[in-house]
Amino acid sequence: MGKVRGLFWPRSLQGQLLLAIALALLLAQGISAVLLYRAQAERREAALIHTAAMRLFGEIREAGLRPAGSPTLVEQDRPMQVDMPDHSPLQPGERRIAGAEHELREIIASQGLQLGDVVVVNRPLSDDPRLKRRLERRAHVLGDPRRITPQLLVAGIELPQAKRWLVVRIPAPGADRGVLASLIGQTLLLYGLMVGAIALIVGRITRPLAALTGRVEQFAAHRALAGQLPPQGPDDVRRLIVAHNALEDRIAALLDEKDVMLGAIGHDLKTPLAALRVRIESVEDDAERAKMAATIEDITRSLDDILSLARVGRPSDPLEPTELNALVGGVAEEFEDMSEPVTFAGTERTVIALRATWLRRAVRNLVVNALRYGKVARITLLHEHGRVAIRIEDDGPGIPEALIEAMMQPFTRGEPSRNSATGGAGLGLTLAKAIAEQHGGTLTLANREVDGVVAGLTAELALPG
């Protein structure tokens, strides 16, 4: 059911509003057309009942004025639509029209006539026993009587004094196709005009919302946009756009302030760290001097990671076409030159637009993480479902499923089973994830299992192909 609804229900606000209003209007117009059609049918039925009542009055007056011993209506040369049988005209299986019977009784009773039962039914002309014989006699002119199926309104009243029934047959015209076509045409015309007018109104409302959505998406992707979105549309939407412009300016100012502050921090910290490097050379104890140098290097690497993570959201270098095999292969060669157990399996030539310096750093961080905790790093480049994936596998103990998402948060390091004695500040995976998202991609971690046992971790950096 959800899939069907997804196929036929639009996802945009404009589409949903138009569809909902169109369905409501269609339902309203349909109900209106049905009510009009029923009203015309009721008027047509009332006219037939009044015609039948007038015909019955005429026959009753004529019968009341006829002298005793004169021939009955059946014996006279009366029209075929009139009959005076000694039984009810109701045939087995026919459905009586209660409303018409009540109306006919009231009309005749209002003239002071005493009546017994009243019967009103609709009947195909070919099923009427009185007219069927004439149709059969005239079959050579009219054709097969079974094909002649106009409807009759058969109205009969019981005359208690005469102990007989007086029955009239009124041809009932079928549904007026012209009226029906007119109703359908009017309904469709009104429906089209109303939907068209509403489409213009909804379009005027949603057009600035669509522009605002595009602006927000661009701002989220690039964090810096020239100019501002001009207020347009209804007052409520204009106020929303003005508020968004103010918010955008405020966020941009905060980001600029952050960049200036981080730059100052980086400058102020790197200078004394460089001075410390020089001073520790005067330390005579080699072991102590090595520890101090390692500490300074750790602080410097952590500072570089923090500054890189702060800058990754607002890159200054443009996207450039880059051959991905060469980039990833170059990273693998760097580690191979250091005799690290890193292998690379490429694919066909793949050129995509990216920031080579940033992506190279992301791949390097993932390889370092694999070597640190999994002892080896196997890099594979492949195409899957319209995207390019850089997959890095190790042979380490993996990560508990409950901690995989947390491992990509800033300053989060592995639990003791992943050798917590080693590692940096816990920013490697966070930085790699940010770089992947900067390129419109994703970074996912998953345990690799062999025979139901965790045999290592797989990190996959996927980019749009």
Side-chain angles (χ1 to χ4, degrees):
M1 185 65 180
K3 292 183 179 179
V4 175
R5 184 173 180 268
L7 287 174
F8 295 101
W9 186 258
R11 300 177 65 88
S12 66
L13 174 62
Q14 181 178 8
Q16 291 184 7
L17 282 175
L18 279 177
L19 182 58
I21 294 173
L23 291 176
L25 285 176
L26 182 62
L27 179 61
Q29 288 295 106
I31 293 174
S32 176
V34 169
L35 292 177
L36 288 173
Y37 185 77
R38 286 186 61 184
Q40 290 196 353
E42 290 174 357
R43 286 196 298 270
R44 187 168 58 249
E45 182 179 286
L48 290 174
I49 293 299
H50 281 76
T51 301
M54 293 177 61
R55 182 74 58 81
L56 290 170
F57 280 140
E59 298 299 336
I60 289 172
R61 282 198 302 269
E62 186 174 344
L65 294 174
R66 186 178 299 113
S70 60
T72 65
L73 290 172
V74 179
E75 296 167 344
Q76 299 182 48
D77 187 14
R78 305 301 298 167
M80 294 299 297
Q81 291 87 353
V82 180
D83 190 11
M84 184 174 275
D86 56 3
H87 55 81
S88 170
L90 184 65
Q91 296 183 4
E94 287 187 327
R95 184 177 178 181
R96 301 173 66 166
I97 308 175
E101 291 178 352
H102 178 71
E103 185 175 357
L104 181 60
R105 180 183 293 276
E106 286 188 345
I107 293 174
I108 297 178
S110 65
Q111 303 299 318
L113 299 175
Q114 297 297 322
L115 297 178
D117 195 8
V118 176
V119 173
V120 179
V121 296
N122 277 324
R123 177 185 301 165
L125 187 149
S126 58
D127 290 347
D128 188 82
R130 180 171 175 80
L131 300 182
K132 185 176 182 181
R133 293 191 297 270
R134 174 171 291 189
L135 290 175
E136 291 175 348
R137 289 196 300 267
R138 302 179 61 186
H140 64 284
V141 177
L142 301 176
D144 187 352
R146 290 174 298 180
R147 299 177 58 187
I148 304 174
T149 57
Q151 293 288 315
L152 290 174
L153 179 73
V154 180
I157 59 175
E158 185 181 10
L159 302 175
Q161 300 86 348
K163 296 182 181 181
R164 299 180 73 88
W165 284 74
L166 181 59
V167 180
V168 295
R169 297 166 179 80
I170 308 296
D176 190 343
R177 295 185 179 180
V179 173
L180 185 61
S182 176
L183 281 175
I184 294 175
Q186 292 178 13
T187 300
L188 293 178
L189 178 61
L190 290 175
Y191 178 74
L193 290 175
M194 295 179 71
V195 169
I198 292 173
L200 293 176
I201 297 173
V202 172
R204 184 175 181 272
I205 295 173
T206 57
R207 194 176 300 112
L209 287 178
L212 178 60
T213 301
R215 177 79 181 191
V216 173
E217 291 174 347
Q218 293 177 6
F219 184 76
H222 304 292
R223 305 287 180 88
L225 295 174
Q228 286 190 331
L229 184 67
Q232 55 183 325
D235 289 343
D236 295 341
V237 180
R238 288 174 177 268
R239 290 173 55 194
L240 177 61
I241 294 175
V242 170
H244 166 264
N245 289 337
L247 181 63
E248 186 178 298
D249 288 341
R250 178 62 175 160
I251 292 174
L254 290 174
L255 291 174
D256 291 338
E257 182 180 346
K258 179 206 68 172
D259 289 345
V260 173
M261 180 183 66
L262 289 175
I265 292 174
H267 179 270
D268 292 344
L269 288 180
K270 286 186 176 181
T271 300
L273 286 174
L276 283 174
R277 274 199 202 93
V278 175
R279 290 184 180 182
I280 63 174
E281 296 299 327
S282 61
V283 177
E284 297 181 356
D285 190 336
D286 293 340
E288 190 67 23
R289 185 170 63 251
K291 290 181 181 179
M292 295 172 67
T295 301
I296 292 174
E297 288 299 322
D298 286 343
I299 295 174
T300 302
R301 280 196 301 269
S302 298
L303 183 61
D304 288 339
D305 286 343
I306 292 172
L307 294 176
S308 296
L309 187 61
R311 289 195 300 267
V312 72
R314 304 185 75 189
S316 57
D317 50 332
L319 295 170
E320 295 180 349
T322 305
E323 211 287 303
L324 203 55
N325 275 285
L327 186 148
V328 179
V331 174
E333 289 177 1
E334 294 175 8
F335 287 94
E336 290 173 353
D337 292 342
M338 295 184 291
S339 300
E340 297 287 355
V342 176
T343 60
F344 171 63
T347 181
E348 67 270 14
R349 176 180 172 82
T350 304
V351 178
I352 59 176
L354 48 81
R355 297 178 176 89
T357 302
W358 287 106
L359 190 65
R360 188 178 293 110
R361 180 160 190 177
V363 175
R364 190 180 292 118
N365 284 357
L366 294 176
V367 172
V368 168
N369 191 73
L371 292 174
R372 179 177 297 157
Y373 299 118
K375 308 306 180 184
V376 298
R378 291 183 293 273
I379 309 174
T380 306
L381 185 63
L382 42 85
H383 291 265
E384 288 182 342
H385 311 297
R387 62 175 188 164
V388 181
I390 305 171
R391 187 173 295 167
I392 302 171
E393 296 180 345
D394 63 38
D395 293 336
I399 302 175
E401 295 292 337
L403 298 178
I404 287 180
E405 288 297 326
M407 288 301 299
M408 289 188 282
Q409 299 300 318
F411 306 106
T412 302
R413 297 178 59 186
E415 82 292 347
S417 65
R418 286 184 63 83
N419 194 0
S420 62
T422 63
L427 292 174
L429 290 176
T430 304
L431 185 57
K433 179 183 177 182
I435 293 171
E437 293 176 348
Q438 175 197 90
H439 290 83
T442 58
L443 174 64
T444 56
L445 302 179
N447 290 316
R448 181 170 52 85
E449 296 185 356
V450 177
D451 297 330
V453 179
V454 175
L457 185 72
T458 299
E460 183 173 287
L461 195 158
L463 300 173

